[in-house]
C-alpha cells in the first residue's frame, strides 16, 4: 500500500503533467489568439506543408469572408456571407475531419458600402466556450450557442464606414466589447473618414443578455478597424483602444476615457500590442507612423508618454508581433522588419514576396508570415534574419492563421485548411 507521502507526490506529478498538457493544447478563441497578440504556446506545430502534403483536411467555405477561424477544443468557427452579402452566417467545423456540423444564418444584414478588399464577413468571432459572439458588416451583434441557436441579438448600431466593417470583438469578464469607428453616410463622406468627428463609440455589452452596460466616447477621431487590448495597470485592468488619430485608455467598469495620445492617421487596421510597459500601434493611412506609448497617466499625455516613433516601413493592414525584446512586422508590400521594442532601434530589415494582409503568428520561437498568394514564410524570431522554410497553398489568403492542438488553420478565399497530423 502506498504511503500518504507517496500518494501526495504522485498526485502533484499528475497535476503538473495535466497542467502541462492543458497549456500545450491551447485554444485560439478570438482574433490573434488567447492573448490577442498572435502568440501561441503550442509545441510540435508543423513547419512544412503544401496543397498535397501535411494537410489533415481541406473543407470548402461558401460565399465570401475574410474573418479568421477560431478554435475551442474540437470546435472551429468561421463566418461567411452569401446572397451578395445579405445572409450573414456562422459555420461550425469538427476539428479532426473538417466536417461542417452546421451552417446557420445569423442575420439578414444590410450589405452596404465597402471597399473591394474588404468583405461582408471580415470580423473574426470570439468565444468563451459556451457561446460564439459575432459582429456583422452592418454593426449587428449576436451571441450564438454551440449548437447554432441565436441566444440574443443587438442591432442598435446602424454602422457605416467608407471601408466597411472589419473590427473584431473581444471578451472581458462578462462583457463583449466592440469598437465602432465608422464615418458619415451623409453629404460629406470625408467626415469621420479623413475629417475627424465625435461619433465613434466603444460598446460594452453584457455577454449574457446583449444589453449595453457602458459606452466609451473617443472625442474627435477617424475611421478604423482596430481590435482593442487589455492592459493590467497598477492592479487594475484597462481597455487600450486606438483609432484614426488617437490611442486611448478606458475604464473597463464605466467606459470613462482615462488618457489619450494624438496619433494622426485614418483607416487604421493593425491591432494594439502591449509589452515592456509600452503600447505599440500603427496609425494607418495618411501620416503613417509606428508609435510606442508608455502606459499610465491621465488626460492628454501626447507630450509626455510617447516613448518612440518611426515613419519607416509602417504596416497599414497586418498587425505587428511583440516577442520580447523585439517587435516584428510585415508591410503590405512585403518588407519584414525587426525592431528593439523598448527603443525602436532597427535590428534587421528584409524583403519578402508581396502582398500581405494576414497578421503574423509566433510559435516555438518562429514567426509565420502568410502572404495573399498563400505562401507562408517561416523565419526565426531573433536578432538575425533567417528563413527556415516556405510553404505554398496557391490560394488567395487574407485571413490570419489560427494555431491549436499542434495544427495550423488557414482560411483561403474558398477553403478552410487544417495543417498537420490528423
Amino acid at each position: 500500500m502506498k504511503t500518504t507521502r507517496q500518494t501526495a507526490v504522485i498526485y502533484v506529478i499528475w497535476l503538473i503533467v495535466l497542467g502541462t498538457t492543458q497549456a500545450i493544447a491551447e485554444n485560439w478563441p478570438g482574433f490573434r489568439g488567447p492573448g490577442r497578440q498572435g502568440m501561441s504556446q503550442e509545441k510540435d506545430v508543423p513547419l512544412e506543408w503544401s496543397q498535397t502534403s501535411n494537410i489533415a483536411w481541406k473543407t470548402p467555405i461558401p460565399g465570401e469572408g475574410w474573418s479568421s477561424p477560431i478554435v475551442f477544443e474540437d470546435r472551429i468557427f468561421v463566418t461567411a456571407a452569401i446572397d451578395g452579402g445579405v445572409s450573414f452566417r456562422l459555420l461550425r467545423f469538427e476539428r479532426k475531419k473538417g466536417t461542417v456540423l452546421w451552417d446557420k444564418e445569423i442575420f439578414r444584414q444590410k450589405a452596404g458600402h465597402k471597399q473591394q478588399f474588404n468583405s461582408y464577413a471580415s470580423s473574426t468571432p470570439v468565444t468563451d466556450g459556451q457561446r460564439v459572439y459575432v459582429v456583422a458588416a452592418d454593426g449587428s451583434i449576436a451571441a450564438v450557442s454551440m449548437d447554432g441557436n441565436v441566444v440574443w441579438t443587438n442591432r442598435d448600431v446602424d454602422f457605416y464606414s467608407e471601408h466597411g466593417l472589419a473590427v473584431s470583438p473581444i471578451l472581458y469578464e462578462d462583457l463583449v466589447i466592440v469598437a465602432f469607428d465608422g464615418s458619415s453616410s451623409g453629404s460629406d463622406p470625408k467626415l469621420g473618414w479623413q475629417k475627424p468627428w465625435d461619433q465613434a463609440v466603444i460598446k460594452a455589452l453584457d455577454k449574457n443578455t446583449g444589453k449595453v452596460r457602458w459606452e466609451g466616447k473617443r472625442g474627435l477621431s477617424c475611421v478604423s478597424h482596430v481590435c482593442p487590448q487589455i492592459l493590467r495597470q497598477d492592479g487594475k485592468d484597462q481597455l487600450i483602444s486606438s483609432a484614426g488619430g488617437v490611442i486611448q485608455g478606458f475604464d473597463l467598469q464605466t467606459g470613462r476615457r482615462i488618457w489619450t495620445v494624438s496619433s494622426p492617421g485614418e483607416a487604421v487596421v493593425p491591432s494594439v500590442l502591449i509589452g515592456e510597459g509600452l503600447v505599440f500601434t500603427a496609425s494607418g493611412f495618411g501620416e503613417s507612423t509606428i508609435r510606442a506609448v508608455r502606459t499610465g497617466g491621465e488626460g492628454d499625455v501626447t507630450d509626455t508618454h510617447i516613448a518612440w516613433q518611426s515613419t519607416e516601413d509602417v504596416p497599414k493592414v497586418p498587425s505587428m508581433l511583440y516577442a520580447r525584446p523585439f517587435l516584428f512586422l510585415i508591410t503590405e508590400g512585403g518588407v519584414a522588419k525587426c525592431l528593439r521594442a523598448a527603443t525602436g532601434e532597427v535590428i534587421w530589415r528584409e524583403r519578402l514576396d508581396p502582398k500581405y494582409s494576414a497578421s503574423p503568428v509566433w510559435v516555438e520561437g518562429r514567426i509565420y508570415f502568410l502572404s495573399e498568394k498563400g505562401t507562408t514564410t517561416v523565419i526565426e524570431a531573433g536578432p538575425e534574419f533567417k528563413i527556415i522554410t516556405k510553404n505554398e497553398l496557391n490560394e488567395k489568403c487574407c485571413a490570419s492563421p489560427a494555431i491549436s492542438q499542434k495544427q495550423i488553420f488557414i482560411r483561403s478565399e474558398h477553403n478552410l485548411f487544417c495543417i498537420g497530423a490528423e
Side-chain angles (χ1 to χ4, degrees), residues 377-392:
T377 302
V378 185
I379 70 166
E380 289 187 357
E384 295 183 8
F385 179 77
K386 181 179 179 181
I387 294 178
I388 300 172
T389 187
K390 286 189 176 185
N391 306 294
E392 305 286 351

Side-chain angles (χ1 to χ4, degrees), residues 50-195:
S50 69
Q51 276 215 342
T52 57
S53 65
N54 209 18
I55 303 293
W57 48 261
K58 169 184 171 182
T59 302
I61 301 176
E64 65 163 8
W66 288 127
S67 60
S68 298
I70 63 171
V71 186
F72 198 94
E73 296 174 350
D74 285 340
R75 294 162 284 188
I76 304 166
F77 300 94
V78 298
T79 60
I82 64 173
D83 297 342
V86 173
S87 179
F88 179 82
R89 311 185 73 83
L90 179 66
L91 291 79
R92 176 180 166 181
F93 298 77
E94 189 273 332
R95 187 185 64 83
K96 293 183 179 179
K97 299 296 181 182
T99 305
V100 177
L101 297 180
W102 48 257
D103 175 357
K104 300 288 185 71
E105 180 178 272
I106 308 302
F107 295 112
R108 300 295 289 181
Q109 69 177 357
K110 182 170 63 178
H113 175 77
K114 68 171 182 62
Q115 297 286 357
Q116 63 178 3
F117 49 79
N118 203 345
S119 76
Y120 290 117
S122 290
S123 172
T124 297
V126 65
T127 184
D128 55 9
Q130 302 298 314
R131 297 169 182 162
V132 180
Y133 303 89
V134 298
V135 179
D138 64 0
S140 300
I141 309 170
V144 185
S145 69
M146 290 292 134
D147 55 7
N149 294 320
V150 175
V151 179
W152 57 255
T153 63
N154 184 306
R155 309 196 78 168
D156 294 345
V157 175
D158 183 14
F159 185 80
Y160 177 87
S161 167
E162 173 60 26
H163 304 94
L165 184 144
V167 68
S168 299
I170 69 168
L171 291 173
Y172 173 77
E173 295 183 347
D174 61 348
L175 298 177
V176 183
I177 300 174
V178 187
F180 290 106
D181 293 292
S183 57
S184 175
S185 59
S187 59
D188 185 357
K190 291 188 177 182
L191 187 60
W193 169 25
Q194 295 173 331
K195 297 178 182 178

Side-chain angles (χ1 to χ4, degrees), residues 49-52 58 370-376 391-397 412 415 417:
W49 64 86
S50 69
Q51 276 215 342
T52 57
K58 169 184 171 182
L370 173 63
S371 77
E372 286 198 9
K373 70 176 185 179
T375 300
T376 301
N391 306 294
E392 305 286 351
L393 285 180
N394 298 311
E395 293 193 21
K396 185 176 181 180
C397 297
S412 72
N415 297 289
F417 289 87

